[in-house]
Amino acid sequence: MKKYILSLVIAIVIVVLLKKTRTGLRVATQIKGVVANAVIKPDHINPNGDSIVTRVVVPDGYKRVAYKKGTFQEYLRNYKLKPFGSKIVNYDSTEYFAQHWHDAILEVPVPSNGLQQCADALMRIRSEYLWENDRKKEIGFKFTSGHYCSWQKYAEGFRPKVKGNKVTFYKTASANYSKQNFHKYLNLIYMYAGTLSMYNELEKVNINDIRIGDMLVKPGTPGHIEIIVDEVVNVDGEKMYLLAQGNTPAQSVCLLKNFEDTDISPWYTFSKNKSVDTPSYYFEKAQFIRFK
C-alpha cells in the first residue's frame, strides 16, 4: 500500500512539473515573439563624430546634398563640435536648465558679457566664415533702426552715435583691422541688431528652395531664429534638415533634437504653412531668410 501511494505521489509531481514546463515554454515563446516584433527606433547619432557631418548619421534611403568646397554650406556641415555629452553652458558659466534638447554643442565661444544671444550667434558664425575665407569686406549688418554697419568702416575707425532711432557715424578711432577689434565690432552688432533686423534686411526664401545656411525665423522683439546646418535628400527629392540655435540667455550653440518625430531625430522636415515645433520654440509657420 505504501509503495502504491508513493508511486501515485511521484506521478502527480511529474504531471505538475510537465505542466509548468509547457507553460514556461509557452510564455518564453510569447516573450521572444514580442521582443522579435519590437520596433527599434534608428539612432542617427555617432558619439565619436567631432563635426556635424561625422556626428549625425544619414537616414536610410537618403544622401547628403552636395555643395562645393569653400561654400557656406560646407562650412556649416563640417563645423567642429565639442565632445559628445557636452552640456549647454550659459555666458556666466552656469549650466542651462534644459540639457535634454541637444545632440551636439558647436565650437562657438560664448562671451562672458551676455550679448551673444540667438540671432547674434548666427551673425557671428556667418561673419567668421567670411573672415576665414578672406571676404572681410562683405561683413556687415543693419541695426534694428535700419542703418547699415560694416566691419570695413568699423575697422577704419568709424563709430555710431545713436540717438533714439537716429544713427550717425563718425571717425573717432584709429584704424584697426585686428581679430580683437573684430570681436569688438561683433559686440556692437549684438547690441543694435537682432532677429527682427535680420528678418527685415535679408532675403525671404521659398520653402521649396531652402538649403544649408538658411534660417527658420519668427520675427519680433522677442522673436527667435534657428539655422539649417545640414541637408539630405532621397530618390524622390524629399529632403530633411538639421537645425542649430543660439539662445537667450547667451549660451552654447547647440544642434537640436526633434521631439515631434523621434524616428528621424535630429532631422526635420518642413512644409508650407505648417508649424515647426523645436525643443525651445514653436514656430507658427515655416518661414526662412538667407544671408547675403
Side-chain angles (χ1 to χ4, degrees):
M1 185 67 177
K2 290 182 179 179
K3 289 183 179 181
Y4 172 75
I5 293 174
L6 181 60
S7 299
L8 181 60
V9 170
I10 292 172
I12 292 171
V13 170
I14 291 172
V15 170
V16 171
L17 288 174
L18 285 173
K19 186 175 180 180
K20 287 185 176 181
T21 300
R22 292 193 189 101
T23 301
L25 287 172
R26 184 165 62 250
V27 171
T29 302
Q30 291 172 347
I31 293 174
K32 184 178 180 181
V34 170
V35 173
N37 293 324
V39 177
I40 300 175
K41 293 184 178 180
D43 186 359
H44 297 116
I45 298 299
N46 170 24
N48 297 318
D50 62 356
S51 65
I52 290 171
V53 73
T54 58
R55 176 72 58 86
V56 186
V57 178
V58 176
D60 290 341
Y62 285 79
K63 64 179 181 179
R64 283 188 159 92
V65 176
Y67 287 100
K68 292 182 180 179
K69 186 177 180 180
T71 60
F72 188 47
Q73 291 75 30
E74 277 297 290
Y75 178 82
L76 289 174
R77 171 179 280 162
N78 289 279
Y79 211 95
K80 291 298 181 182
L81 303 176
K82 292 184 180 296
F84 182 76
S86 295
K87 295 182 178 182
I88 300 174
V89 179
N90 298 319
Y91 69 94
D92 59 359
S93 299
T94 60
E95 293 181 6
Y96 191 52
F97 77 93
Q99 295 295 336
H100 61 292
W101 286 355
H102 67 287
D103 277 319
I105 300 294
L106 280 66
E107 284 280 11
V108 182
V110 184
S112 59
N113 58 25
L115 294 177
Q116 187 178 287
Q117 301 181 9
C118 61
D120 309 323
L122 306 191
M123 288 188 283
R124 174 174 186 160
I125 290 172
R126 175 64 177 179
S127 297
E128 290 186 337
Y129 161 74
L130 295 173
W131 180 282
E132 293 171 18
N133 285 272
D134 199 23
R135 294 168 57 183
K136 300 180 182 68
K137 290 184 179 180
E138 298 177 42
I139 300 172
F141 302 93
K142 285 187 177 180
F143 294 163
T144 303
S145 63
H147 298 84
Y148 184 73
C149 182
S150 71
W151 156 246
Q152 183 68 24
K153 284 294 184 181
Y154 188 91
E156 291 172 3
F158 288 87
R159 299 291 183 269
K161 182 177 181 180
V162 181
K163 188 175 182 180
N165 289 327
K166 185 179 179 180
V167 180
T168 51
F169 289 86
Y170 299 93
K171 182 172 172 56
T172 59
S174 301
N176 183 345
Y177 296 87
S178 69
K179 192 67 175 288
Q180 183 180 15
N181 200 40
F182 172 60
H183 287 145
K184 290 181 180 179
Y185 162 78
L186 289 178
N187 283 331
L188 176 69
I189 294 298
Y190 302 158
M191 290 177 64
Y192 294 111
T195 301
L196 183 58
S197 63
M198 289 176 70
Y199 179 79
N200 291 334
E201 175 185 1
L202 300 179
E203 174 190 357
K204 313 304 182 286
V205 185
N206 187 293
I207 196 167
N208 296 320
D209 300 323
I210 57 176
R211 65 191 187 195
I212 299 174
D214 291 342
M215 293 163 284
L216 176 65
V217 61
K218 172 60 165 62
T221 48
H224 192 55
I225 191 166
E226 299 171 1
I227 190 168
I228 296 174
V229 292
D230 206 353
E231 175 185 3
V232 294
V233 64
N234 64 16
V235 293
D236 297 320
E238 298 168 331
K239 291 185 176 182
M240 293 196 289
Y241 308 87
L242 297 178
L243 287 172
Q245 70 163 30
N247 206 356
T248 303
Q251 61 188 230
S252 309
V253 178
C254 66
L255 181 74
L256 295 168
K257 293 182 178 180
N258 182 353
F259 291 150
E260 298 304 301
D261 193 344
T262 54
D263 287 338
I264 64 171
S265 181
W267 297 96
Y268 282 81
T269 59
F270 305 117
S271 301
K272 186 177 181 180
N273 298 322
K274 186 177 179 181
S275 63
V276 182
D277 198 355
T278 67
S280 64
Y281 202 83
Y282 173 78
F283 296 85
E284 295 176 353
K285 59 181 178 179
Q287 54 184 345
F288 293 84
I289 57 177
R290 178 176 295 167
F291 283 118
K292 297 176 182 178

